């Protein structure tokens, strides 16, 4: 079911963009552990497989879950080093087994988040010159300022939320995005239950 939901999400994003999505798409969630990293990775892979050149960015300086799951190791600080002015984008991008998909990993460095508003716009502009689509695996919207900073710089946001803890945190996250006047491209419900009790992902278009 997850693969079907990802394809549905990709098609809906293509329709919203009247063709191929361009620019920066941020994937976030109200809180930790809701599946945003999985959705960001699979969405980036899905667009790469249909011919786009995609950069997947681990923008979660607090947990770096994407970088750890892909086992990039301590080769550099990645995004954290860029934000601190130690490296540039070309020094930190890693290739993947999926043609057209590249990853900008990071190490955990919560204090580097202070540099996001100052340095990320330039990084994004540089990435736009090389990549068709930049997908951000961002921190959760609630609890840190980083996600709100990134959302204000993104062209659109996808929100991932788990069933069972969706109502209040999702409402708060949605309110935060509305305050920032960010374009919400849609939401992905994670671990929604069917009759047999099987958990699955489903794409829910915005209202």
């Amino acid at each position: 079911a997850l693969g079907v939901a990802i394809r549905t999400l990709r098609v809906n994003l293509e329709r919203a963009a009247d063709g191929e999505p361009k620019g920066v798409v941020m994937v976030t969630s109200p809180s930790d552990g809701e599946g945003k990293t999985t959705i960001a990775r699979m969405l980036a892979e899905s667009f790469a497989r249909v011919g786009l050149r995609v950069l997947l960015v681990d923008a979660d300086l607090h947990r770096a879950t994407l970088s750890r799951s892909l086992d990039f190791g301590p080769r550099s600080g990645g995004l954290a080093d860029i934000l601190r002015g130690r490296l540039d984008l070309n020094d930190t991008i890693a290739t993947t087994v999926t043609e057209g998909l590249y990853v900008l990993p990071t190490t955990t460095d919560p204090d580097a988040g202070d540099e996001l508003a100052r340095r990320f716009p330039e990084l994004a502009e540089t990435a736009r010159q090389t990549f068709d689509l930049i997908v951000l695996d961002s921190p959760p919207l609630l609890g840190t300022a980083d996600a709100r900073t990134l959302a204000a710089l993104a062209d659109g946001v996808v929100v991932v939320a788990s069933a069972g803890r969706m109502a209040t945190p999702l409402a708060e996250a949605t309110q935060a995005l509305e305050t920032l006047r960010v374009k919400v491209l849609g939401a992905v419900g994670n671990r929604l239950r069917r009759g047999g009790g099987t958990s699955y992902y489903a794409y829910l278009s915005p209202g």
Side-chain angles (χ1 to χ4, degrees):
L2 175 54
V4 173
I6 291 294
R7 287 192 293 274
T8 302
L9 175 57
R10 190 195 76 224
V11 169
N12 277 276
L13 295 182
E14 288 170 341
R15 288 175 179 167
D18 291 325
E20 294 179 348
K22 301 288 184 181
V24 179
V25 173
M26 179 177 121
V27 180
T28 189
S29 58
S31 54
D32 287 328
E34 305 207 46
K36 66 177 179 57
T37 296
T38 298
I39 294 297
R41 177 176 57 80
M42 295 192 70
L43 182 63
E45 289 175 350
S46 182
F47 275 113
R49 288 195 177 104
V50 295
L52 271 65
R53 188 174 171 87
V54 182
L55 178 63
L56 174 60
V57 179
D58 188 344
D60 192 341
L61 296 162
H62 295 262
R63 302 185 73 192
T65 303
L66 174 66
S67 299
R68 287 187 284 105
S69 69
L70 295 176
D71 193 25
F72 283 113
R75 69 180 71 182
S76 79
L79 175 63
D81 272 345
I82 294 175
L83 294 176
R84 292 191 177 279
R86 293 193 285 253
L87 294 172
D88 63 28
L89 186 61
N90 290 331
D91 295 324
T92 54
I93 292 175
T95 58
T96 72
V97 296
T98 302
E99 184 177 357
L101 176 63
Y102 300 80
V103 175
L104 172 57
T106 193
T107 53
T108 54
D109 187 352
D111 292 338
D114 293 338
E115 300 294 326
L116 278 172
R118 191 162 70 92
R119 291 188 176 269
F120 193 83
E122 181 182 353
L123 185 157
E125 187 58 35
T126 300
R128 289 173 194 266
Q129 295 172 20
T130 304
F131 298 95
D132 300 310
L133 185 67
I134 300 107
V135 178
L136 308 182
D137 176 27
S138 90
L141 275 163
L142 306 179
T144 72
D146 292 4
R148 300 186 189 206
T149 299
L150 291 167
L153 301 171
D155 298 298
V157 175
V158 173
V159 180
V160 180
S162 289
R165 43 179 180 164
M166 288 177 72
T168 300
L170 183 57
E172 292 176 4
T174 301
Q175 179 61 48
L177 292 173
E178 289 176 351
T179 300
L180 293 169
R181 297 183 179 179
V182 175
K183 182 177 183 181
V184 178
L185 300 172
V188 179
N190 176 14
R191 305 183 188 101
L192 304 176
R193 294 287 175 176
R194 279 181 157 167
T198 303
S199 61
Y200 68 102
Y201 291 77
Y203 177 75
L204 310 172
S205 61

